[in-house]
Amino acid sequence: MSINLKQYQENAVTQLIETTIKLLGYDGPGEVCVFQSPTGSGKTVMVAKFIEGLIKELPDEDLCFVWMTLGKGDLHLQSKHSLSKIFGGAPRVTLVEEEFAGGRERIVQNEVVVANWEKIRNKDRSGEWKNLLMKDGEKLNFRDVLEKTKEQRKIILIIDESHVNADTARANELRDLIGADVVIEMSATPRRPQQELGFARDLATGGAGYIIVDPKEVIEEGMIKKELIINENIEKIASDETDSQQVVLEAAYKKRLELKKAFEEEGSTINPLVLIQIPTAEAGEAKIEAVKKFLSEKGVTEKNGKFAIWLAEQKSETIDWIAEPDNEIEFLIFKQAIDTGWDCPRAHILVKFRETTSVVFEIQTVGRILRMPEQKHYANESLNKGYIYTNLRSIEVKKEEYNPNIIKHLKANRIESYEPIKLKSYYKSRVDYGDVTSSFAKVFADAANQELGIKGTKITENKKAAEARGIELDIKKYQQELIADTAIDAKDLDDLSTVSAEALAKLSVAADELQVFFEQFIKSNLGSFRNVKRSIPSVKSAIYQWFRKYLGSEEWPEEILLIQRIFLHAKNQILFKRILERAIEQYRTVKEDEVREKIEESEQWTNFELPTELFYNEHADEIVKAKNYAYEPCYLNRDRSKPEKEFEEFLNSNSEAVSWWWKNGENKIEYLGIKYKYEGQIFTFYPDYLVQLRDGRIGIFETKDAADRDGKTYTKAKAEALQKYITDSKIKKLFGGIVIKKGSDWLINQEKNYDWGKVERGDWGEWTNLDL
């Protein structure tokens, strides 16, 4: 199955491979790698691609994989199904219960065996295993299979959703039983303490690799929704159970129709799905009947194929067809926890009824509506949000330490006295991260071929051409150097392929330093591309691709190590440095064209008005006492800067002159955006405040500190773009600019040409008192 990975996914796969190779080199067993990635980021896909990559990277290493899920349910069946689709037959994916009931002795090389620990771990009171797969008897049990497997090959244990009981005795029991050489713990919320991104070695507790995917990157790549809104357009939940259910269902029904129409306007065939979670208690049956009655009155029934019920005992693959983007089912009832066992990216709305136990909303429990159906964000911002409707009287949202606080349940309504301001707003999706991307591969290949006189893909001729230009390509020599560096007794060896598996493991450990030098070399030659973390994997991939296509490196043993060694060899390094510098310089034009094209596809101008309602998160936002704020109540971000808080005090102290004021947001189409350019690139500027004055003027203000470090760069570009925006609007009463507190006064700069250099020289002549 061909899958185009997102940039953050490529980075994670590369880190997983490199970290695992390092851990395999330690004494083990039981070296741990924690892989933390948000719900909806594609953890299964990334780990599957890691397995494929590791097998390819270590062709001489005898490995196999055990993929274990924790907790109740059939997540292991979903995992097996997903892995089989991704791998397409190679490597082989098997279920423990189907393959190891006594007929097999070992897990074969590269095989991925999937199981659920909860189903096979149970013991009776005497301590005997209950499951036949684990019991002693005439036939081999799975414990015997593991022991026999370890005699021949290394086991990599992958614990899926490791946060489920991962810090308990049963999870430790799992690790002890498998006895894996490396354990990969994958979860959005792992129980192990978070470490710094990258690789760490803790001698006290054993090897530990920590790989962390930034949730913001997942959102920016369009994989998950920007926000999850609770009870949009519901003013009050009635105390009567029947009435409150009716309100919630009606709101969900209307929202689904609205989303369906929005998808159609986007040219998409996505049919948004409403998930209705029913309590598993006896009251659940009555609620099912109530839902059926409500939907039948709307023409939505099981008979016409628009409504379905999924019972807890059903297997996940039996309803895979419901997950199809244009499937006709519109409403689906669940009678089990919604957070396990099934992925359906078109699920957009969650309805959750009252339960006898308390409910805390968190990313993990609403993950089924978090994914984007087409792995992208849309121009219509309503499609980039998920919606939760519940008749819970009291809603509690968990503070997310790792996942972004995107569950919004605090609502503020725009004041009734608001009148339209008729402004234009600019919006574009983020398309540039200041990084080198996969398009660099061709540029690097062209630069390398030009420098080395390579004109085709004939490997023998290309090697001669490269050597003629001074590149040392004696592979056997590099092999012997690698052996010598790892202190392997290789007096009589002619080829690295004859070195033992143990020696090759040592070789991988010794290669740690080589890997660091290789990445440092790339980092030092990235030029103006500042996003090192995102750029290095793309550059490495481009280098590896060139070696494979033009020098035939895929035939070399320990290919990656030899490529890095050749690249960094003293004799070769000067030439490769020149090639990389030239490629990076030439790539700037390619990247600019790429970004410009993406911007043209994503940018849009909209008619801007303050939204009628906004939603907030209690952990990211705070309620503030404010005079004449545009929304009631006033919620503001907890992380506002000192100048912003001081400006708000200024507005409050001049409340007699202010009709309303509003703290603008950023990176969303419902906020006021202004287009500006800096160093040839297009950006969106979201000014801090909009203020409607009683004399009819509308002010747009951006607050800065008197010691603004960006005064000559970004602030200058924003200031001049704001003045142009005001002029082009042709709205006579529109004004604004950069505002700075100096002493007890607030000064404003409204010049078309913003000169921060004068301020640095003590000249504030272009600044005037801000008079409200």
Side-chain angles (χ1 to χ4, degrees):
M1 180 181 178
S2 177
I3 297 176
N4 294 320
L5 296 180
K6 302 288 188 179
Q7 188 65 53
Y8 74 84
Q9 293 176 324
E10 290 183 5
N11 294 349
V13 170
T14 299
Q15 287 182 285
L16 278 167
I17 293 170
E18 292 174 352
T19 300
T20 302
I21 290 174
K22 294 170 185 177
L23 293 176
L24 283 169
Y26 292 143
D27 295 333
E31 305 289 348
V32 176
C33 174
V34 176
F35 176 42
Q36 182 173 12
S37 193
T39 299
S41 60
K43 288 188 291 295
T44 300
V45 169
M46 287 185 275
V47 177
K49 289 299 179 182
F50 147 73
I51 291 173
E52 287 183 338
L54 189 68
I55 291 170
K56 184 176 181 181
E57 195 74 25
L58 300 176
D60 299 319
E61 191 78 77
D62 201 343
L63 302 171
C64 66
F65 305 84
V66 175
W67 186 295
M68 195 72 72
T69 65
L70 301 180
K72 298 178 181 180
D74 292 322
L75 181 58
H76 69 299
L77 299 180
Q78 178 195 329
S79 298
K80 194 264 182 183
H81 181 65
S82 299
L83 291 169
S84 297
K85 281 179 64 177
I86 294 168
F87 293 147
R92 185 185 181 202
V93 184
T94 56
L95 284 174
V96 164
E97 57 261 42
E98 293 178 354
E99 292 283 332
F100 296 94
R104 289 182 54 183
E105 288 191 349
R106 293 179 179 85
I107 303 171
V108 301
Q109 185 175 11
N110 297 337
E111 182 177 7
V112 182
V113 177
V114 181
N116 174 264
W117 183 233
E118 198 71 29
K119 294 182 184 297
I120 65 175
R121 68 168 290 275
N122 291 330
K123 295 180 180 180
D124 58 27
R125 292 182 179 180
S126 65
E128 292 295 320
W129 295 94
K130 287 185 177 181
N131 195 306
L132 289 175
L133 287 165
M134 307 295 282
K135 277 187 174 182
D136 292 321
E138 294 181 5
K139 295 182 179 181
L140 288 175
N141 59 45
F142 188 55
R143 292 179 292 122
D144 296 328
V145 170
L146 290 170
E147 290 305 315
K148 285 186 172 292
T149 298
K150 284 184 280 189
E151 292 172 2
Q152 288 192 359
R153 56 189 52 92
K154 294 182 178 180
I155 298 177
I156 294 177
L157 170 63
I158 298 162
I159 304 179
D160 193 0
E161 301 296 352
S162 64
H163 64 279
V164 181
N165 298 320
D167 58 347
T168 64
R170 71 178 61 186
N172 291 329
E173 183 183 37
L174 166 61
R175 296 185 189 96
D176 292 341
L177 175 75
I178 304 296
D181 294 85
V182 173
V183 179
I184 309 289
E185 296 182 1
M186 55 186 286
S187 173
T189 54
R191 298 296 176 86
R192 290 179 180 269
Q194 291 186 9
Q195 302 283 334
E196 290 184 3
L197 180 67
F199 178 75
R201 174 69 168 159
D202 185 340
L203 297 176
T205 60
Y210 289 85
I211 297 166
I212 304 174
V213 173
D214 187 343
K216 291 182 180 179
E217 291 188 22
V218 181
I219 294 175
E220 288 169 350
E221 289 282 9
M223 291 290 285
I224 62 179
K225 296 181 174 71
K226 296 180 180 181
E227 292 181 340
L228 299 178
I229 306 298
I230 298 180
N231 285 351
E232 182 189 58
N233 294 326
I234 294 181
E235 293 301 323
K236 187 177 180 180
I237 292 296
S239 57
D240 180 78
E241 185 73 9
T242 303
D243 290 346
S244 67
Q245 287 178 188
Q246 196 81 4
V247 168
V248 165
L249 288 170
E250 185 69 34
Y253 176 79
K254 289 180 178 178
K255 175 56 69 172
R256 203 205 75 82
L257 293 178
E258 177 189 319
L259 294 175
K260 176 61 176 170
K261 182 179 179 182
F263 275 118
E264 291 171 352
E265 291 172 350
E266 292 276 346
S268 173
T269 59
I270 297 295
N271 187 25
L273 178 68
V274 179
L275 301 176
I276 303 175
Q277 185 173 358
I278 301 295
T280 53
E282 291 181 8
E285 294 301 323
K287 292 189 186 300
I288 289 177
E289 292 306 313
V291 171
K292 282 184 174 181
K293 183 176 184 297
F294 172 85
L295 292 177
S296 66
E297 293 173 356
K298 301 289 187 180
V300 178
T301 65
E302 289 179 276
K303 190 174 181 179
N304 65 19
K306 295 183 179 182
F307 170 62
I309 300 175
W310 181 27
L311 302 176
E313 57 269 21
Q314 287 181 268
K315 304 301 182 184
S316 58
E317 57 259 47
T318 64
I319 60 164
D320 267 0
W321 55 279
I322 294 179
E324 293 298 321
D326 57 352
N327 185 273
E328 63 184 2
I329 289 179
E330 300 172 355
F331 292 81
L332 178 67
I333 282 182
F334 277 80
K335 279 192 66 178
Q336 68 173 48
I338 203 77
D339 58 332
T340 57
W342 183 50
D343 283 335
C344 183
R346 75 180 181 96
H348 221 112
I349 300 168
L350 171 64
V351 174
K352 192 173 179 66
F353 291 127
R354 288 175 188 157
E355 299 184 30
T356 54
T357 56
S358 61
V359 175
V360 178
F361 288 95
E362 56 182 309
I363 293 294
Q364 285 294 105
T365 58
V366 296
R368 293 318 107 206
I369 63 165
L370 192 61
R371 292 163 175 79
M372 292 299 295
E374 297 177 286
Q375 297 188 356
K376 68 175 185 178
H377 289 145
Y378 301 94
N380 187 328
E381 203 66 29
S382 67
L383 298 177
N384 302 326
K385 302 174 183 178
Y387 301 90
I388 302 166
Y389 293 99
T390 178
N391 63 346
L392 292 167
R393 297 295 300 278
S394 178
I395 297 173
E396 182 180 354
V397 173
K398 180 183 177 182
K399 182 178 182 181
E400 301 285 352
E401 299 294 345
Y402 165 65
N403 286 303
N405 289 295
I406 63 173
I407 301 178
K408 308 291 180 69
H409 67 295
L410 302 174
K411 183 168 69 171
N413 294 303
R414 192 180 66 194
I415 56 176
E416 293 183 3
S417 60
Y418 174 86
E419 294 183 358
I421 53 178
K422 299 179 181 178
L423 298 179
K424 290 289 185 181
S425 180
Y426 174 78
Y427 175 80
K428 71 175 181 65
S429 302
R430 185 173 181 182
V431 297
D432 183 26
Y433 299 90
D435 62 334
V436 176
T437 65
S438 58
S439 58
F440 178 69
K442 183 180 184 305
V443 179
F444 178 83
D446 291 344
N449 291 343
Q450 183 180 357
E451 179 70 33
L452 301 177
I454 292 175
K455 301 184 183 302
T457 56
K458 294 182 178 179
I459 304 302
T460 302
E461 293 180 9
N462 292 345
K463 286 183 177 179
K464 289 180 180 178
E467 288 172 338
R469 297 294 175 95
I471 295 293
E472 176 63 65
L473 284 176
D474 187 344
I475 302 304
K476 188 173 180 179
K477 173 185 173 184
Y478 288 119
Q479 293 172 348
Q480 296 297 336
E481 285 181 357
L482 285 167
I483 293 170
D485 285 353
T486 51
I488 297 171
D489 186 6
K491 294 178 181 177
D492 301 320
L493 294 178
D494 293 321
D495 189 15
L496 189 63
S497 62
T498 62
V499 179
S500 67
E502 290 77 16
L504 285 174
K506 280 187 180 180
L507 188 64
S508 294
V509 178
D512 288 356
E513 192 172 343
L514 182 65
Q515 175 76 18
V516 171
F517 285 143
F518 185 59
E519 292 188 356
Q520 185 59 47
F521 181 85
I522 293 172
K523 180 179 178 180
S524 301
N525 292 283
L526 286 176
S528 60
F529 293 96
R530 300 174 183 174
N531 197 324
V532 174
K533 175 185 168 185
R534 293 174 67 100
S535 297
I536 286 179
S538 297
V539 176
K540 284 165 63 177
S541 177
I543 293 169
Y544 297 155
Q545 287 179 44
W546 179 79
F547 269 88
R548 287 166 186 155
K549 182 174 182 178
Y550 296 99
L551 299 180
S553 66
E554 68 272 12
E555 303 296 330
W556 303 348
E558 295 298 315
E559 176 193 10
I560 300 301
L561 292 178
L562 288 173
I563 290 174
Q564 293 174 358
R565 188 86 176 201
I566 291 169
F567 208 86
L568 295 175
H569 191 275
K571 187 177 179 181
N572 302 337
Q573 196 174 123
I574 296 175
L575 265 174
F576 280 122
K577 178 178 173 63
R578 188 157 65 232
I579 290 169
L580 187 53
E581 287 177 342
R582 178 180 298 171
I584 289 291
E585 182 60 32
Q586 293 173 348
Y587 182 66
R588 286 180 60 187
T589 303
V590 174
K591 183 64 187 285
E592 287 173 4
D593 291 341
E594 184 181 285
V595 170
R596 191 177 301 110
E597 184 177 331
K598 288 181 179 179
I599 288 175
E600 289 174 356
E601 292 174 354
S602 70
E603 68 177 356
Q604 53 187 304
W605 288 93
T606 62
N607 296 319
F608 176 80
E609 299 291 343
L610 267 61
T612 55
E613 59 183 18
L614 290 172
F615 288 82
Y616 300 88
N617 178 283
E618 65 181 282
H619 304 294
D621 307 297
E622 62 181 346
I623 193 164
V624 176
K625 291 183 179 180
K627 296 179 180 178
N628 301 334
Y629 193 65
Y631 289 83
E632 295 176 348
C634 172
Y635 289 107
L636 298 174
N637 190 278
R638 294 179 184 272
D639 295 330
R640 304 188 314 288
S641 67
K642 182 181 177 182
E644 288 174 340
K645 291 180 179 180
E646 290 177 338
F647 189 68
E648 290 161 11
E649 291 175 4
F650 170 73
L651 293 173
N652 286 331
S653 65
N654 287 273
S655 60
E656 70 282 352
V658 176
S659 292
W660 56 257
W661 63 273
W662 181 58
K663 179 71 174 70
N664 193 27
E666 59 183 27
N667 298 329
K668 291 179 185 173
I669 200 167
E670 58 255 48
Y671 298 133
L672 177 65
I674 295 174
K675 183 178 182 179
Y676 78 101
K677 287 186 178 181
Y678 179 70
E679 293 186 343
Q681 297 186 53
I682 296 173
F683 298 92
T684 307
F685 159 44
Y686 295 91
D688 290 330
Y689 296 92
L690 267 69
V691 181
Q692 171 77 70
L693 299 174
R694 296 191 187 279
D695 62 11
R697 289 181 297 157
I698 300 173
I700 304 176
F701 305 113
E702 172 75 1
T703 60
K704 291 295 175 184
D705 190 275
D708 184 15
R709 295 179 181 178
D710 297 324
K712 293 182 178 179
T713 54
Y714 286 102
T715 302
K716 175 178 173 63
K718 291 176 181 179
E720 293 174 357
L722 175 54
Q723 296 308 317
K724 184 178 186 302
Y725 171 86
I726 291 170
T727 301
D728 292 347
S729 73
K730 297 180 180 179
I731 299 175
K732 292 182 179 180
K733 293 195 173 184
L734 186 64
F735 78 110
I738 306 298
V739 291
I740 290 177
K741 187 177 183 182
K742 190 172 186 294
S744 59
D745 297 322
W746 278 90
L747 304 181
I748 184 171
N749 187 300
Q750 300 181 78
E751 299 294 322
K752 291 182 179 180
N753 297 309
Y754 187 81
D755 190 349
W756 187 249
K758 289 184 178 180
V759 172
E760 291 181 327
R761 296 189 297 271
D763 183 357
W764 290 81
E766 295 180 347
W767 296 71
T768 59
N769 283 328
L770 178 57
D771 182 15
L772 300 183

